[in-house]
Amino acid sequence: MASSLVKIDVHLIFHTKKTGIKMHEDDLPRIFAYIGGVINGVNGLPIAVGGRPDHIHILASLPKTMSLADFIRAIKADSSKWIKKLRDDYASFEWQEGYGAFSVSPSLIDKTVNYIRGQEEHHRKRSFQEEYRLFLEAYGIQYDERYVFDD
């Protein structure tokens, strides 16, 4: 083949550092938009960005020239630098080191977008920890409860 053709859609989930501060509800739309811009800037395609003050969900197409780990590192590093400048009380803002990354079939893109957009309603019924455990179990990912939610 003369060119590389790639379409890998992934649902990313990561949390603010438990020992740190959360994002303010009224800042979330700006933060989500900024993260979409970061994804565009590394040649990814943001499909949906959403979440709650303590965690974020991203549905994106990976750039064909970047590994998943480098993609997430770029999003976290750039966004946390920007968030720290957004408000004085964000000076010590940090994302947790870890993340969840789950492949998404083209047939489930719309369902995943709706899931991400419905985070506020969704978390009236279920905590982040409950939600994340369900993802891990649905994807058959082995984990140790002692470490999965640590900073």
Side-chain angles (χ1 to χ4, degrees), residues 21-41:
I21 60 164
K22 297 177 182 177
M23 299 169 284
H24 295 275
E25 185 79 38
D26 58 328
D27 290 329
L28 293 178
R30 289 176 61 199
I31 293 168
F32 299 158
Y34 185 84
I35 288 172
V38 171
I39 294 167
N40 277 323

Side-chain angles (χ1 to χ4, degrees), residues 49-113:
V49 181
R52 302 304 307 133
D54 65 345
H55 72 282
I56 193 160
H57 290 259
I58 299 168
L59 177 60
S61 294
L62 294 178
K64 67 180 179 180
T65 58
M66 186 178 264
S67 72
L68 174 64
D70 288 343
F71 181 62
I72 294 169
R73 189 175 304 114
I75 294 168
K76 285 179 159 186
D78 194 320
S79 65
S80 67
K81 267 187 232 174
W82 184 81
I83 291 168
K84 286 178 182 186
K85 295 175 184 172
L86 195 57
R87 289 183 185 227
D88 291 340
D89 59 330
Y90 286 154
S92 61
F93 179 86
E94 291 181 76
W95 296 114
Q96 281 185 320
E97 185 178 329
Y99 59 86
F102 308 95
S103 59
V104 178
S105 155
S107 65
L108 295 175
I109 294 293
D110 289 342
K111 183 177 181 180
T112 306
V113 167

